[in-house]
Amino acid sequence: MSDTNSYSIRVEPTKQSRLSQVDFNNLKFGQIMSDHMLVANYDNGAWTDVSIVPYGDLQISPAMSSLHYGQAIFEGVKAYKYADETVSVFRPDQNWERLNKSAKRLQMPEVPQEIFLEGLKQLLKIDKQWIPSIEGTSLYIRPFMFGTEPALGVHASASYKFIIITCPVGAYYSQPISLKVETYYTRAVSGGVGFSKNAGNYALSLYPTQLANEEGYDQIMWTDAAEHKYIEEAGTANLIFRIGDSIITPHGETILHGVTRRTIMELAEKWGYTTEQRNVSVAELIDGIKNGTVTEAFAAGTAATVTHISRIGFEGQDYELPPVEGREFSNKVFDYLNQLRYGKIEDPFGWNFIV
Ligand SMILES: *Cc1c(COP(=O)(O)O)cnc(C)c1O
């Protein structure tokens, strides 16, 4: 990590903390923001005014370019508090790298590591009280960037804001989910923006997801744009399967390369499982469920780490997966990551970024 300190971060503490009004036993995801936010502006080719200020509304122009042309990207990260009050963020360097990959694809400026990581560190120090400590809880961190130029010409915005806001999130007990294999709508195409974490990828998923919900499924299983034969990912999370003795995840530029997916595949390899990153066809999955070789299937993402999949719908037919209790790998990896992130076990990989 860089230790040059070329950006001085101005800190303006809140005069009125909202902390005492928060019911930490009843947190709805993403609704209560911590007292402070980090804001940096990009103007005339350089990042300036890096500051930590009270969380609050922004003033924007109606002509702000990102509202019209969509230069908007984001990240999702989590911070955890150990029993001894140590604060740890899970692999934020990966999020910083991914943010900059998204930025490049959308013709946006890169955010220096120092603003992202050092800024985050300082933000978490000032809002340390907002990080809940009960096991299963965490502080969700949302870094994001968008074009701010007040002009309607179609071109890359000349100015940007990079902001980090955070919110405490309650213990998340995710129920197993059902997925509908999507065979008409498309999330991403090769040469497109599927690998980037940009706002538009979510906008386009909402309508097809609503249709899937109306048919009784929780989420969509996206398939490739050309043939709708190969599995890509779930709505907001990557997919990992255990087929035979192999831990398998789809690959390629049309999926978002999740930090959780990467972490889980790295662990699988370390633990001696066979791992494969390759095309997985819907037919392979359905056949495997029918003949019993698909023993585990789950979605992997920062929100819930591991969300078991209980049922998959394809062409009007439902396929049930084996009971969650018997899923050896996914339960093991979920427990391991929980312990690691709360500092209960050694961190041999250096994944915990201590604040
Ligand atoms: C963020 C995201 C994921 C999961 O990524 P993590 O880094 O593991 O949180 C997967 N798919 C999509 C579309 C995403 O936006």
Side-chain angles (χ1 to χ4, degrees):
M1 318 251 151
S2 156
D3 58 5
T4 55
N5 197 28
S6 44
Y7 299 93
S8 63
I9 301 179
R10 182 176 67 84
V11 179
E12 180 196 329
T14 182
K15 294 193 179 72
Q16 187 104 59
S17 172
R18 289 175 282 105
L19 191 61
S20 62
Q21 301 160 23
V22 178
D23 177 3
F24 276 89
N25 293 314
N26 194 12
L27 293 164
K28 287 211 182 86
F29 178 81
Q31 301 205 350
I32 310 260
M33 304 301 165
S34 310
D35 277 332
H36 297 89
M37 60 183 181
L38 177 122
V39 182
N41 295 321
Y42 184 87
D43 262 311
N44 297 316
W47 288 100
T48 56
D49 311 330
V50 187
S51 54
I52 290 173
V53 295
Y55 176 86
D57 291 348
L58 305 169
Q59 199 175 1
I60 56 161
S61 161
M64 182 172 84
S65 61
S66 54
L67 291 177
H68 303 270
Y69 307 126
Q71 279 183 300
I73 59 177
F74 65 96
E75 278 299 324
V77 198
K78 274 182 173 178
Y80 303 85
K81 201 181 256 175
Y82 296 179
D84 71 358
E85 303 267 302
T86 299
V87 172
S88 162
V89 188
F90 193 70
R91 307 191 80 177
D93 53 315
Q94 300 285 317
N95 298 91
W96 169 68
E97 280 178 20
R98 187 171 66 193
L99 182 84
N100 284 340
K101 282 186 190 146
S102 301
K104 185 171 180 195
R105 179 63 182 82
L106 295 188
Q107 191 56 30
M108 299 167 82
E110 295 195 352
V111 175
Q113 189 185 54
E114 194 196 333
I115 295 179
F116 191 103
L117 287 180
E118 191 55 36
L120 177 58
K121 209 170 184 171
Q122 293 203 27
L123 181 65
L124 294 181
K125 280 187 176 157
I126 191 167
D127 279 338
K128 185 172 179 182
Q129 305 285 341
W130 285 82
I131 309 171
S133 50
I134 304 158
E135 185 163 345
T137 65
S138 58
L139 188 79
Y140 184 78
I141 300 164
R142 168 56 58 86
F144 60 108
M145 181 185 3
F146 55 97
T148 56
E149 185 183 346
L152 293 181
V154 178
H155 55 249
S157 178
S159 57
Y160 297 84
K161 266 189 198 301
F162 170 69
I163 300 180
I164 307 178
I165 57 178
T166 72
C167 53
V169 293
Y172 195 108
Y173 301 108
S174 63
Q175 296 296 316
I177 54 168
S178 55
L179 298 181
K180 174 193 164 188
V181 177
E182 180 57 62
T183 53
Y184 176 70
Y185 294 102
T186 294
R187 175 183 174 274
V189 294
S190 43
V193 293
F195 67 86
S196 72
K197 211 165 172 85
N198 81 83
N201 283 346
Y202 281 80
L204 68 78
S205 73
L206 299 175
Y207 177 66
T209 302
Q210 174 62 28
L211 296 180
N213 293 160
E214 285 166 12
E215 290 175 52
Y217 300 97
D218 297 306
Q219 283 282 349
I220 279 176
M221 180 182 281
W222 293 108
T223 53
D224 72 288
E227 300 180 278
H228 294 294
K229 270 190 183 161
Y230 295 96
I231 296 165
E232 302 212 316
E233 61 181 302
T236 58
N238 294 120
L239 291 172
I240 301 179
F241 307 105
R242 182 172 187 174
I243 308 180
D245 278 329
S246 236
I247 308 298
I248 305 174
T249 189
H251 72 151
E253 58 168 331
T254 51
I255 64 162
L256 193 290
H257 292 186
V259 179
T260 317
R261 165 184 178 270
R262 178 180 186 152
T263 298
I264 291 173
M265 294 307 284
E266 285 171 6
L267 282 173
E269 204 170 317
K270 260 253 143 44
W271 292 341
Y273 292 89
T274 308
T275 62
E276 297 174 59
Q277 305 203 14
R278 61 162 171 85
N279 286 345
V280 181
S281 69
V282 177
E284 180 183 1
L285 182 71
I286 301 295
D287 288 347
I289 295 173
K290 284 191 203 154
N291 69 27
T293 51
V294 172
T295 51
E296 307 190 38
F298 60 97
T302 295
T305 309
V306 165
T307 305
H308 298 288
I309 297 163
S310 53
R311 180 169 62 100
I312 291 170
F314 176 55
E315 292 179 338
Q317 193 68 32
D318 272 354
Y319 301 88
E320 299 283 339
L321 281 123
V324 165
E325 301 74 54
R327 302 191 191 181
E328 184 246 359
F329 175 72
S330 39
N331 287 316
K332 176 174 162 175
V333 86
F334 181 66
D335 288 342
Y336 180 86
L337 286 172
N338 269 340
Q339 294 192 47
L340 181 78
R341 289 187 289 209
Y342 292 99
K344 294 188 168 170
I345 51 172
E346 283 286 293
D347 174 21
F349 313 99
W351 287 340
N352 291 337
F353 174 80
I354 306 298
V355 170

